[in-house]
Amino acid sequence: IPPPNVTGSLHMGHALQHTLMDVMTRHKRMRGYRTLWLPGMDHAGISTQLMVSRALKKEGKSRHDLGRESFVERVWKWKRESGGQITKQMRRAGSSVDWSREKFTMDEDLSSAVREVFVRLYEEGMIYRGNRIVNWCPQDQTVLSDLEVEKLPQAGKLYYLQYPIKNSDRRVTVATTRPETMLGDTGVAVNPSDERYSELVGATVLLPLTNREIPIIADDFVDPEFGTGAVKVTPAHDPNDYDMGQRHDLPQVVVIDTFAKMTAEAGERFAGLDRYEARKLVVEEFEALGLLEKIVDYEFSISKCERCKTVIEPLISTQWFMKMDQLRDRALDLLAREKKPRFVPETPYEKVYTNWLENLRDWTISRQLWWGHQIPAWYTRTGEVIVARSEDEAREMAGTSEITQDQDVLDTWFSSALWPFSTLGWPNETEDLKTFYPTSVLVTARDIIFLWVSRMVMTGMQFIGKEPFADVFVTGTILDAQGQRMSKTKMNGVDPLDVFDKFGVDATRLTLAQVGTTDTRWNEKQVESYRNFANKIWNAARFCLLYSEGAKVKPALLQTTTANLALHDRWIISRLNKTARDMNAALAAYEFHGAVQTLYHFFWDDFCDWYIELSKSDVTSDTPSAQRDEARSRLLTVLEHALRLLHPFMPYITEELWGRLPGEKPLHPAYSNAEPTVMLTAYPQGGPVDETAESEMNMLITLVTGVRNIRAEYNLKPSDKINVLIGIPSPNLRKVFEENTDQVKRLTGASTIDVSASLNAPKASAKFLLTSTDEVAIPLEGLVDFAEETKRLQRKKEKLEAEAKKLQAQLANPDFATRAPAEKVQQAQDRIREIELHSKALDQAIENLQ
RNA sequence: AGGCACGUACGUCAAUGGUAGACGGCUUCCCUUACAAGGAAGAGGUUGGGGGUUCGAAUCCCUCCGUGCCUACCA
């Protein structure tokens, strides 16, 4: 499971992911696989620290009043008392995780895995401490990784500032969005090929408002097309300028501090000012000096803290970093050679993942927080750095006990990156690790492919030498009814718990399962229809149980080889087999939408609308008999199989109903000693499809539907008596209808059914065709308007002819015959012949009316 | 700024290059002995526009329009 934040509560995204994971787990479990779905939570560094800090603030205290140790203790207390709401909600959602193995990223075993990884990477030179420019959040007072920063478009200004040149009356104009940083400028850069400035390269600029003299340098980074083609360089406060400064050995003048206030270095007049106040003042000063050329409106993107939305201040700071090249290369190699992980859907995620990896930069892993894994590095009084698995080990290595631990903690994602193996006991060679690693599949939302998925792959390859999972299933996003992303700030989120309350967990799960990988607008109507489906299941089961006296579930009754079964029995067994096969195929291919549709139609259409209706004559009989018991038992048995097929999607209703069914309900052999539960029965695998039964039943359905259609078109009341005449040349087929006349009578409300080799119906009849040779007529003395009936038959004929015309055009094309597969050509020809016969029969019927 | 998706019935979504489907909604009829949260029968589409490839295109290619997402160091 992607471990949710300890501070979080269940939202639609979780509900979706958890439903899919649960369906997969329950399905595999029912097939006898040893499944592990391991739950847990993430300590969520910043967000948890903020939450507890906020609570402290209400008491008028800050974390500094408590001190580190008591603050961390306070967070643990919060975690014990009110953290992990989501685990309760997951129980409600029916998530069949193994709670006995629940993990928390700050647990001692996971923490020791974190230290182990840190030490090993440090020893290999892949983790280092360095002084570099980083993303700093002045509000949260911590460094952030590139992924924790969001770029937002911003309407701003572009300021054109003029800098005088020493020993010249020329000025050079630079464009900037942040005038206040000019106080930290240590150079002006132009493109080496820019002829406008070629003479000025090497000249000295007299930086206004300061006493500094700074050089004009040439660097390829500068785009001559943008602004004036000359750029002010502030190595201490801009990532690009930092790089340029490195290349040209420019000094770094720090003019903004960690609270985004101007430093003493900025000069007396500016020191202590907020960055925006300083900006205003700098612009005023330039204007007063006549050095402000112009200000233009300019839209650019600004970096904000993903969490608190404060504008990021790039600062030079000493932090811990992880080198990514080697890790990245192994991940790319894994994908190239073994196609792991396999993304579902492959497009676009495989490419997105690859592109991101290819452009990966070093990862800033330290955070200036108290809540998290404290960095296992210690410093001696002489400044020596010691990285060790424990303080004792560090003392020993240092040869002194006078050491202090690094105050920073690790990025939350550092421990999450180890989740697939740290939760299984690594670095110990545990049985669990051997059994369950590599895992089969990860289900996740696309926004953490970089933050989490890629990092798990990299650490997995580095420390286990094997991929953490074979497949990655990336879910779609549930949007609101307007197509907007659901978010806390927009207040447009739909709470899954409310949906559970309103429509039930099972209905919600079906709705979510069919979302699969597509982005979908939330539509409550959909849930409502699945609630109705659940109701339908309940009522169908009620019917089966109402007539269950003398009956019980008996799997042998679904064997078609031995018994001489009625058509509808052979048919439902065939449908059941087909459905089971389709379900297993759909689930193996992660086709959840198809799986849900398959279940819905099997249960509602096949089982309820036809099978139950056709069973009624036997099942509801008042007189006990072996035949009645068998019919009842077979009905119960089909229901029992259907419940098993439904179970991974609808655990609650299936468990409840399954428990009520009497009879032989064996568990899967893998769980033979367990307490009875539908969870541990065998998922039906499906058997042979009976094509004869399917096609005969289809004819019966066509007959019933056709008669009902005529009833509707002639506005016949249910109480109106009708006689149905059927003309069927084939003796075999005639037998099928003869055997089912009582059924057809019940389903159509007909008084008599007369099956014969050829139709002999009065002129005043409504007619339709079962096939081109098989006809049905309903005499309607006094009710048939001959002109109307003619039109009705004409309309049917027109429909057929339109289709035939299309096919004929296709066949008329000589290329079709030569190039299309023979099978397709044959199909088209067959269909045309069928339509011709059908059409002729209709002509005959029309003629009879005249 | 680049990159990537998406656009199918009134709505939400399906459809290995082979006659475009489902559910909801809508229309008509029915409280038929499991279920009115139900039953029966229907209507509804030139698959965003245009062009191309192909025997054949919702599907592959190009282009335009519209929508969304991701990445990025343009001061």
Side-chain angles (χ1 to χ4, degrees), chain A residues 229-464:
Chain A
V231 193
K232 59 191 274 311
V233 184
T234 323
H237 297 290
D238 181 279
N240 303 311
D241 294 5
Y242 176 84
D243 291 343
M244 260 196 287
Q246 296 289 88
R247 287 196 288 272
H248 298 274
D249 209 19
L250 298 177
Q252 297 161 353
V253 177
V254 175
V255 292
I256 302 175
D257 69 12
T258 55
F259 294 93
K261 292 205 186 326
M262 306 310 286
T263 64
E265 284 267 24
E268 227 175 285
R269 321 230 357 246
F270 298 96
L273 288 184
D274 173 80
R275 53 187 165 179
Y276 298 112
E277 293 166 4
R279 176 177 304 175
K280 216 173 131 198
L281 189 55
V282 165
V283 173
E284 281 170 17
E285 295 280 324
F286 266 78
E287 189 157 27
L289 293 169
L291 295 175
L292 179 66
E293 188 170 306
K294 60 179 176 180
I295 304 176
V296 299
D297 286 333
Y298 180 62
E299 182 163 324
F300 60 104
S301 55
I302 195 157
S303 299
K304 293 189 174 180
C305 172
E306 183 186 54
R307 198 152 297 282
C308 72
K309 311 296 176 194
T310 304
V311 175
I312 293 300
E313 190 59 51
L315 288 181
I316 293 175
S317 167
T318 301
Q319 302 290 345
W320 290 89
F321 299 91
M322 192 192 289
K323 281 189 194 163
M324 303 306 288
D325 338 17
Q326 187 185 326
L327 292 164
R328 179 260 318 275
D329 290 346
R330 293 186 75 167
L332 284 172
D333 186 54
L334 177 73
L335 186 69
R337 284 191 303 117
E338 299 180 44
K339 196 141 177 97
K340 283 178 186 165
R342 185 171 71 98
F343 284 91
V344 180
E346 190 176 305
T347 356
Y349 300 113
E350 186 179 304
K351 213 164 148 189
V352 165
Y353 170 82
T354 315
N355 287 347
W356 185 76
L357 280 178
E358 282 167 353
N359 299 308
L360 194 52
R361 300 196 299 172
D362 286 3
W363 175 15
T364 313
I365 51 173
S366 46
R367 293 291 181 279
Q368 286 64 55
L369 303 173
W370 286 352
W371 176 242
H373 301 98
Q374 195 168 351
I375 290 177
W378 286 262
Y379 306 101
T380 64
R381 296 173 80 176
T382 54
E384 194 192 345
V385 181
I386 293 141
V387 168
R389 289 166 182 80
S390 68
E391 182 143 4
D392 287 345
E393 193 181 305
R395 284 208 185 90
E396 206 170 300
M397 287 165 72
T400 167
S401 58
E402 293 190 4
I403 54 173
T404 48
Q405 189 170 2
D406 194 299
Q407 292 301 294
D408 290 352
V409 301
L410 289 164
D411 181 0
T412 290
W413 295 103
F414 189 97
S415 53
S416 326
L418 319 179
W419 186 257
F421 52 90
S422 65
T423 54
L424 296 175
W426 188 90
N428 300 315
E429 280 284 328
T430 62
E431 272 306 306
D432 277 356
L433 199 58
K434 275 186 235 160
T435 309
F436 296 114
Y437 193 101
T439 72
S440 311
V441 59
L442 176 81
V443 177
T444 187
R446 61 175 147 261
D447 52 354
I448 54 175
I449 290 178
F450 305 144
L451 276 170
W452 192 47
V453 177
S454 62
R455 287 169 179 169
M456 284 191 283
V457 174
M458 291 188 277
T459 60
M461 292 306 289
Q462 177 73 18
F463 292 99
I464 315 290

Side-chain angles (χ1 to χ4, degrees), chain A residues 359-618:
Chain A
N359 299 308
L360 194 52
R361 300 196 299 172
D362 286 3
W363 175 15
T364 313
I365 51 173
S366 46
R367 293 291 181 279
Q368 286 64 55
L369 303 173
W370 286 352
W371 176 242
H373 301 98
Q374 195 168 351
I375 290 177
W378 286 262
Y379 306 101
T380 64
R381 296 173 80 176
T382 54
E384 194 192 345
V385 181
I386 293 141
V387 168
R389 289 166 182 80
S390 68
E391 182 143 4
D392 287 345
E393 193 181 305
R395 284 208 185 90
E396 206 170 300
M397 287 165 72
T400 167
S401 58
E402 293 190 4
I403 54 173
T404 48
Q405 189 170 2
D406 194 299
Q407 292 301 294
D408 290 352
V409 301
L410 289 164
D411 181 0
T412 290
W413 295 103
F414 189 97
S415 53
S416 326
L418 319 179
W419 186 257
F421 52 90
S422 65
T423 54
L424 296 175
W426 188 90
N428 300 315
E429 280 284 328
T430 62
E431 272 306 306
D432 277 356
L433 199 58
K434 275 186 235 160
T435 309
F436 296 114
Y437 193 101
T439 72
S440 311
V441 59
L442 176 81
V443 177
T444 187
R446 61 175 147 261
D447 52 354
I448 54 175
I449 290 178
F450 305 144
L451 276 170
W452 192 47
V453 177
S454 62
R455 287 169 179 169
M456 284 191 283
V457 174
M458 291 188 277
T459 60
M461 292 306 289
Q462 177 73 18
F463 292 99
I464 315 290
K466 279 187 232 156
E467 73 284 357
F469 28 72
D471 298 349
V472 175
F473 184 90
V474 185
T475 67
T477 308
I478 314 242
L479 307 166
D480 72 4
Q482 282 70 45
Q484 302 276 312
R485 265 187 110 80
M486 291 182 178
S487 76
K488 274 186 199 154
T489 46
K490 279 192 231 153
M491 303 282 286
N492 63 344
V494 176
D495 186 345
L497 295 159
D498 292 342
V499 185
F500 291 166
D501 288 343
K502 197 165 173 190
F503 299 108
V505 172
D506 287 342
T508 313
R509 286 169 59 110
L510 271 188
T511 310
L512 292 171
Q514 67 158 9
V515 165
T517 62
T518 15
D519 289 1
T520 306
R521 295 181 184 211
W522 181 253
N523 183 358
E524 202 176 85
K525 286 283 181 192
Q526 189 65 253
V527 199
E528 195 180 335
S529 98
Y530 286 128
R531 185 271 317 264
N532 294 349
F533 179 54
N535 199 39
K536 186 76 179 178
I537 296 170
W538 185 263
N539 281 314
R542 234 166 43 113
F543 172 81
C544 299
L545 287 166
L546 195 61
Y547 295 100
S548 63
E549 197 189 311
K552 61 175 190 172
V553 174
K554 213 166 154 190
L557 290 175
L558 300 190
Q559 297 304 319
T560 50
T561 43
T562 51
N564 185 17
L565 297 177
L567 173 60
H568 66 276
D569 288 327
R570 283 185 285 130
W571 174 77
I572 197 66
I573 292 165
S574 177
R575 295 303 310 152
L576 185 64
N577 285 335
K578 180 76 174 12
T579 302
R581 266 168 34 182
D582 289 349
M583 285 304 295
N584 285 296
L587 289 171
Y590 301 115
E591 286 165 3
F592 298 99
H593 186 277
V596 171
Q597 296 297 314
T598 300
L599 286 173
Y600 189 95
H601 289 118
F602 171 72
F603 199 89
W604 202 312
D605 300 348
D606 296 344
F607 184 64
C608 292
D609 289 351
W610 294 104
Y611 188 66
I612 288 185
E613 292 306 323
L614 291 168
S615 300
K616 277 181 178 172
S617 54
D618 288 334

Side-chain angles (χ1 to χ4, degrees), chain A residues 26 49 97 124 188 196 365 441 532 629 647 663 793 809:
Chain A
R26 286 178 187 270
Q49 175 158 331
V97 295
E124 292 195 33
V188 170
R196 292 173 297 176
I365 51 173
V441 59
N532 294 349
D629 288 350
H647 177 259
L793 296 175

